[in-house]
Amino acid sequence: LAKTTQPISMDSYEGQEVNITCSHNNIATNDYITWYQQFPSQGPRFIIQGYKTKVTNEVASLFIPADRKSSTLSLPRVSLSDTAVYYCLVGDANTNAGKSTFGDGTTLTVKP
Amino acid sequence: GAVVSQHPSWVICKSGTSVKIECRSLDFQATTMFWYRQFPKQSLMLMATSNEGSKATYEQGVEKDKFLINHASLTLSTLTVTSAHPEDSSFYICSARDLGTNTEAFFGQGTRLTVV
C-alpha cells in the first residue's frame, strides 16, 4: 500500500475554500485515491474517491494530476462543522477489499 | 451508500473481564471486514482482517489470543477483547466494503472501550 504524506494541520475561516494536498509518490497503477473525514469519537466517513483528473460530488472536489503522485481535496466554503481530521488513502480496491493504511491525517480547524 | 454498524457505541468494563464488539454490514454482504484501533490524538491502526468462514489475519504485534475475531456470517464480525486491561482502553472501529458495487470502504461508528 502506497504511503501518503499530508500536512499535519490547517486553519481556515468560515466561507473560505480549503485545499488539502496529499503526496503519494509510490502510487501503483491500480490504486485509487480516497479521502475520509473523521470527527472525534466517530468512525471515518467517506468523502470522495478518484483515479485520475477531477472528481466532484456534492461536498467536495478531488484534483489528481496526470502523474497521480499527489492529489488535492477541495472543500468549497467551509463551515465550523467541517472542523475534523481528513485522511488521504491510496490502495487497490480490487485486492484489498477495503483494507486501508491510514497516515497521520490533516486536522482542519475552521474558525468563525 | 452502504452502512456498517457497530455495537455497542461505548462500553466500560472491569479489568480482567472480556468484552465483545459487533460489526454488521446492514445492506450488503461482506466476506471481509477490518478491525482498527485508535488511541487519542492518533491515526487508525489496522489490527486484523476478518474473513468469513475462516481464521482472521492479524497484523504484526497484535495478539490473536487477546483479540478474538469471529466472522460467522456474511454480515457480522465480532471482536472480543479478552482479559481486558486498562491499556486496552481505546476506540475500536470496523470497516467493510461492498464488493458488488463500491470501491470505497465504509466504517462503523466506532466503539469506545474503557477498562477500569
Side-chain angles (χ1 to χ4, degrees):
Chain A
L1 297 173
K3 180 179 178 179
T4 60
T5 303
Q6 306 173 231
I8 296 296
S9 63
M10 294 182 68
D11 290 342
S12 181
Y13 291 92
E14 282 190 291
Q16 289 188 333
E17 177 185 79
V18 172
N19 296 307
I20 306 174
T21 297
C22 178
S23 297
H24 28 79
N25 292 317
N26 297 322
I27 190 169
T29 302
N30 294 332
D31 284 344
Y32 284 80
I33 301 161
T34 311
W35 285 79
Y36 288 90
Q37 175 193 57
Q38 187 182 29
F39 297 112
S41 297
Q42 294 187 27
R45 184 175 72 98
F46 172 81
I47 301 175
I48 197 167
Q49 184 181 72
Y51 183 80
K52 61 180 179 180
T53 62
K54 176 183 176 182
V55 179
T56 298
N57 61 22
E58 62 275 10
V59 298
S61 294
L62 179 59
F63 298 92
I64 306 169
D67 65 6
R68 304 202 324 125
K69 294 183 182 298
S70 67
S71 59
T72 299
L73 173 71
S74 181
L75 304 173
R77 296 182 297 280
V78 295
S79 63
L80 296 177
S81 62
D82 292 318
T83 294
V85 180
Y86 292 81
Y87 293 99
C88 161
L89 283 74
V90 294
D92 180 347
N94 291 326
T95 60
N96 292 336
K99 182 176 181 178
S100 303
T101 297
F102 283 79
D104 293 331
T106 298
T107 298
L108 172 66
T109 302
V110 180
K111 302 176 182 179
Chain B
V3 177
V4 175
S5 179
Q6 278 183 245
H7 177 81
S9 297
W10 60 271
V11 58
I12 302 173
C13 71
K14 291 184 177 181
S15 186
T17 62
S18 296
V19 174
K20 180 183 287 187
I21 302 170
E22 294 184 346
C23 178
R24 295 181 184 273
S25 56
L26 297 185
D27 52 1
F28 66 99
Q29 295 182 331
T31 55
T32 305
M33 293 183 176
F34 302 91
W35 288 96
Y36 297 82
R37 180 168 52 182
Q38 186 175 32
F39 292 107
K41 304 293 185 182
Q42 294 187 22
S43 184
L44 285 76
M45 292 186 61
L46 180 66
M47 298 175 65
T49 301
S50 173
N51 303 300
E52 188 270 334
S54 64
K55 292 183 178 180
T57 305
Y58 291 83
E59 296 298 303
Q60 188 174 7
V62 178
E63 299 176 56
K64 63 179 181 179
D65 294 330
K66 180 166 186 62
F67 299 99
L68 300 179
I69 291 174
N70 183 275
H71 196 151
S73 77
L74 289 173
T75 59
L76 173 64
S77 174
T78 60
L79 169 69
T80 301
V81 182
T82 63
S83 187
H85 291 284
E87 57 265 30
D88 298 323
S89 297
S90 188
F91 193 54
Y92 293 87
I93 310 169
C94 69
S95 76
R97 187 167 71 87
D98 183 352
L99 296 178
T101 60
N102 297 308
T103 52
E104 71 270 20
F106 292 90
F107 290 80
Q109 68 268 44
T111 298
R112 173 74 60 192
L113 170 62
T114 302
V115 184
V116 298

